[in-house]
């Protein structure tokens, strides 16, 4: 399994990014659902999602104009990075 180690490092350097990617590896979810299920403040989840999205590890699954109920999912690259993190026991 080949992975971009810069991306792996980016994810594991934040517990919030780890929790978001781990949760989205299960199924798509809204920021509020992720915050509730991970017991993390919504502001931290939103910031983590923004950073992960900028690196194409997660994607917004609804239109950009949608303000409520924004559903996020993991991208193929995100799945690869998450698989590497799990396989190498990095969290």
């Amino acid at each position: 399994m080949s992975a971009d180690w810069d991306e792996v490092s980016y994810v594991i350097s934040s517990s919030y990014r780890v929790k978001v990617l781990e949760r989205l590896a299960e199924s798509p979810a809204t920021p509020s659902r992720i915050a509730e299920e991970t017991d993390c403040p919504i502001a931290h989840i939103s910031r983590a999602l923004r950073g992960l999205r900028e690196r194409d590890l997660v994607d917004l699954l609804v239109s950009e104009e949608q303000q409520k109920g924004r559903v996020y999912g993991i991208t193929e690259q995100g799945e690869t990075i998450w698989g590497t993190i799990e396989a190498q026991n990095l969290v």
Side-chain angles (χ1 to χ4, degrees):
M1 174 184 301
S2 172
D4 182 344
W5 286 100
D6 287 341
E7 299 300 324
V8 169
S9 176
Y10 175 76
V11 172
I12 65 174
S13 66
S14 164
S15 63
Y16 298 112
R17 289 191 289 261
V18 168
K19 289 177 182 183
V20 167
L21 208 58
E22 179 178 31
R23 172 55 187 82
L24 292 178
E26 296 172 15
S27 66
T30 62
S32 57
R33 163 115 354 131
I34 297 168
E36 181 182 311
E37 292 179 6
T38 60
D39 201 29
C40 295
I42 187 76
H44 292 291
I45 297 302
S46 294
R47 190 176 310 117
L49 281 165
R50 193 167 33 256
L52 292 168
R53 189 171 176 213
E54 287 170 2
R55 291 177 173 254
D56 295 320
L57 300 178
V58 303
D59 202 12
L60 181 62
L61 302 179
V62 297
S63 71
E64 197 68 48
E65 293 77 36
Q66 181 99 16
Q67 293 301 309
K68 285 274 199 191
R70 293 173 70 115
V71 179
Y72 289 84
I74 194 168
T75 64
E76 191 173 312
Q77 181 181 358
E79 288 179 1
T80 300
I81 298 302
W82 182 248
T84 300
I85 291 168
E86 284 191 307
Q88 299 296 323
N89 291 317
L90 296 173
V91 291

